[in-house]
């Protein structure tokens, strides 16, 4: 009987803690908004940094969708496979999306983002290009200036995985582009 009473008190304490925690969090942030002192902080450009891997450029790609190759319904976050091909200019595009791992190469494992106008939009598993610390700021500026125009990433694919090998701007490696830009500014 004594154990049941202790278990009931323990259950009651845990239940109260579960109710109190979200209420405290909501009250805490609302209290700061209502009674906190206002300061104005100047913003800075994004300078991505990973504590273990170093500086990187966050890349976005134009080709992130393709037609469904089978009748399976795709859902957000689902793992699927994108078959990759090259167009006449030698640039990669997604030939199609399937839920089964293809036997033929090249393909890449992707996550489904959304479906619109019979096109399956996916999240590519690569988007970070890591580079030396001393090139980070200039590289980010150069990429932002040329993204969507002359910036192209070389990505190696194998067994459904992809790694960004090099970033090219104006048909030059990022290092060569930055060196030329540095020499021309002097």
């Amino acid at each position: 009987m004594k154990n049941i009473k202790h278990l009931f008190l323990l259950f009651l304490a845990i239940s109260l803690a579960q109710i109190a925690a979200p209420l405290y969090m909501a009250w805490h942030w609302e209290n700061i908004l209502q009674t906190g002192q206002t300061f104005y902080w100047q913003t800075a450009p994004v300078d991505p940094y990973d504590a273990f891997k170093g500086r990187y450029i966050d890349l976005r790609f134009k080709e992130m969708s393709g037609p469904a190759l089978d009748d399976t319904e795709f859902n957000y976050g689902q793992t699927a496979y994108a078959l990759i091909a090259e167009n006449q200019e030698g640039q990669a595009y997604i030939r199609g999306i399937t839920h089964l791992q293809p036997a033929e190469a090249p393909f890449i494992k992707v996550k489904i983002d959304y479906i619109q106008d019979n096109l399956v939009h996916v999240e590519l598993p690569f988007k970070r290009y890591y580079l030396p610390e001393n090139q980070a700021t200039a590289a980010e500026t150069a990429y932002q200036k040329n993204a969507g125009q002359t910036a192209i990433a070389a990505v190696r694919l194998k067994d459904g995985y992809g790694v960004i090998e090099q970033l090219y701007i104006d048909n030059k490696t990022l290092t060569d582009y930055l060196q030329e830009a540095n020499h021309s500014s002097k």
Side-chain angles (χ1 to χ4, degrees):
M1 187 69 170
K2 193 173 182 179
N3 282 342
I4 292 175
K5 191 175 186 179
H6 286 254
L7 286 174
F8 178 75
L9 289 175
L10 180 64
F11 172 76
L12 188 62
I14 291 173
S15 298
L16 288 175
Q18 287 181 341
I19 293 170
L23 290 175
Y24 172 77
M25 291 170 39
W27 172 84
H28 178 72
W29 297 116
E30 282 299 318
N31 184 38
I32 292 171
L33 282 174
Q34 298 298 320
T35 61
Q37 185 177 357
T38 302
F39 292 91
Y40 295 94
W41 296 71
Q42 186 174 13
T43 59
V46 175
D47 187 14
Y49 177 75
D50 185 307
F52 297 105
K53 298 178 182 175
R55 303 240 179 249
Y56 63 91
I57 298 174
D58 197 18
L59 301 176
R60 298 285 185 256
F61 299 96
K62 287 184 176 179
E63 288 294 329
M64 295 183 61
S65 64
L69 297 178
D70 49 43
D71 293 333
T72 304
E73 181 177 326
F74 291 103
N75 298 309
Y76 172 78
Q78 177 184 356
T79 299
Y81 299 91
L83 277 70
I84 308 299
E86 290 181 329
N87 64 17
Q88 293 178 344
E89 290 81 35
Q91 295 181 356
Y93 72 95
I94 297 175
R95 186 165 55 98
I97 309 292
T98 180
H99 73 284
L100 295 175
Q101 182 173 335
E104 61 182 291
F107 67 94
I108 191 159
K109 191 186 291 187
V110 295
K111 293 282 184 190
I112 302 297
D113 195 11
Y114 63 95
I115 300 170
Q116 183 178 30
D117 300 329
N118 295 324
L119 282 178
V120 181
H121 296 258
V122 298
E123 294 176 21
L124 296 173
F126 45 81
K127 66 178 192 175
R128 290 181 174 186
Y129 178 65
Y130 291 92
L131 59 152
E133 298 271 336
N134 62 347
Q135 293 181 351
T137 304
E140 181 74 22
T141 302
Y143 172 71
Q144 293 296 334
K145 183 179 170 187
N146 293 286
Q149 300 168 6
T150 62
I152 295 176
V155 180
R156 289 199 180 257
L157 304 179
K158 183 177 181 181
D159 300 330
Y161 297 95
V163 176
I164 299 173
E165 179 182 41
Q166 184 61 262
L167 180 64
Y168 294 92
I169 296 178
D170 285 339
N171 292 322
K172 301 173 191 127
T173 65
L174 179 62
T175 302
D176 291 343
Y177 180 84
L178 293 176
Q179 286 175 349
E180 284 186 23
N182 192 22
H183 288 299
S184 65
S185 67
K186 289 182 180 178

